[in-house]
Amino acid sequence: MAEILPSLLSADFAHLGEEIARVERGGARMLHLDVMDGHFVDNLTIGPPVVESLRKVTRSYFDCHLMIENPERYVPAFAQAGTNAISVHLEACRHLDHVLRLIRSEGLKAGVVLNPATPVSLLENVLELADYVLLMSVNPGAGGQDFIPYVLDKVRELGEMRHEKKLALAIEIDGGVHRDNLAEVVRAGCDWIVTGSAIFHSADPEATVREMREIADSALVVRV
Ligand code: DX5
Ligand code: ZN
């Protein structure tokens, strides 16, 4: 079953605890936390102290998406703060093999992120070192952008690589996903689906999560 991961980037930062409680009431069990450093992307967001505070108010699974330069410097701090998973951009890593091993050595799930224009073929030799691959379906740095359709071809290609290599890898997608394109995203083969503005800018985030979970569930049901 595909999981819906609300991205806190579009939540009200003055009330993060309550925002989390709302989406959890809607059934969310995994949360996506966007970390930006003003260098790899223009925007600035949160760091380990915020993750540490949020860890105290929820037991949900934390997926930290690091959009930062030199991510290896910060892996231990995010692990200490209580995240469950860390993903790093291939485009930001000079030593991707090393960084993925470092994340796993902290006892966390390790993810690699690819920008829309980066081909999945670049992962050929490191897939075994990753627990999940995040395919960006917008250019990183901001919420509320339009979904880039060719990324679904990348999802299918990665699905084939996973099948050929017999790997238990999760495929995650991030950016521009909303109610209307969700079923297509699930059918392409995504397991973890990040969505920010579609949830937190909706009138009722709790109901939106519930509804998106239902759409994701029924997308793979074959009707006869
Ligand atoms: C963008 C972030 C996303 C963002 C997605 O750089 O990585 O996680 O929150 O937001 P939406 O769902 O609004 O495109
Ligand atoms: Zn993200």
Side-chain angles (χ1 to χ4, degrees):
M1 184 202 134
E3 276 293 332
I4 302 293
L5 287 76
S7 164
L8 297 185
L9 186 63
S10 293
D12 178 353
F13 273 55
H15 303 98
L16 282 179
E18 288 113 271
E19 294 279 71
I20 288 172
R22 290 166 96 175
V23 296
E24 287 177 344
R25 283 197 297 273
R29 296 176 291 199
M30 299 172 75
L31 299 169
H32 184 82
L33 285 76
D34 288 302
V35 177
M36 306 186 188
D37 66 351
H39 293 278
F40 182 69
V41 292
D42 290 340
N43 219 340
L44 280 166
T45 55
I46 61 166
V50 176
V51 177
E52 191 177 350
S53 295
L54 295 178
R55 181 76 290 167
K56 292 176 187 146
V57 299
T58 175
R59 299 180 68 174
S60 281
Y61 193 95
F62 284 176
D63 169 36
C64 280
H65 172 193
L66 304 191
M67 285 162 273
I68 64 177
E69 304 283 357
N70 303 308
E72 64 279 4
R73 281 192 202 160
Y74 300 92
V75 165
F78 280 100
Q80 193 67 35
T83 190
N84 303 89
I86 292 178
S87 64
V88 293
H89 273 259
L90 175 142
E91 302 87 358
C93 293
R94 287 178 126 178
H95 305 288
L96 181 62
D97 177 290
H98 165 73
V99 183
L100 293 173
R101 289 177 197 275
L102 175 65
I103 296 170
R104 280 186 168 174
S105 75
E106 293 282 354
L108 308 179
K109 298 294 182 196
V112 191
V113 194
L114 300 184
N115 280 335
T118 306
V120 294
S121 56
L122 291 183
L123 297 176
E124 181 71 35
N125 302 102
V126 290
L127 271 191
E128 282 84 355
L129 293 173
D131 299 294
Y132 62 109
V133 173
L134 167 48
L135 297 176
M136 290 304 300
S137 40
V138 297
N139 287 292
Q145 304 179 72
D146 287 341
F147 187 84
I148 299 174
Y150 69 74
V151 174
L152 291 182
D153 293 331
K154 294 174 66 181
V155 172
R156 288 183 274 265
E157 193 184 339
L158 182 60
E160 280 166 26
M161 284 167 75
R162 170 173 69 176
H163 181 70
E164 277 162 24
K165 291 175 181 287
K166 298 183 173 57
L167 295 172
L169 186 84
I171 300 178
E172 181 174 26
I173 196 158
D174 182 6
V177 179
H178 46 76
R179 253 179 287 222
D180 296 344
N181 59 11
L182 176 57
E184 197 184 359
V185 164
V186 173
R187 285 192 206 108
C190 295
D191 307 295
W192 296 358
I193 298 163
V194 177
T195 171
S197 52
I199 290 176
F200 290 106
H201 294 174
S202 71
D204 185 346
E206 175 184 336
T208 304
V209 173
R210 193 171 295 119
E211 192 185 339
M212 291 185 96
R213 285 175 61 84
E214 283 163 13
I215 293 170
D217 273 355
S218 52
L220 292 178
V221 174
V222 181
R223 293 181 212 290
V224 286

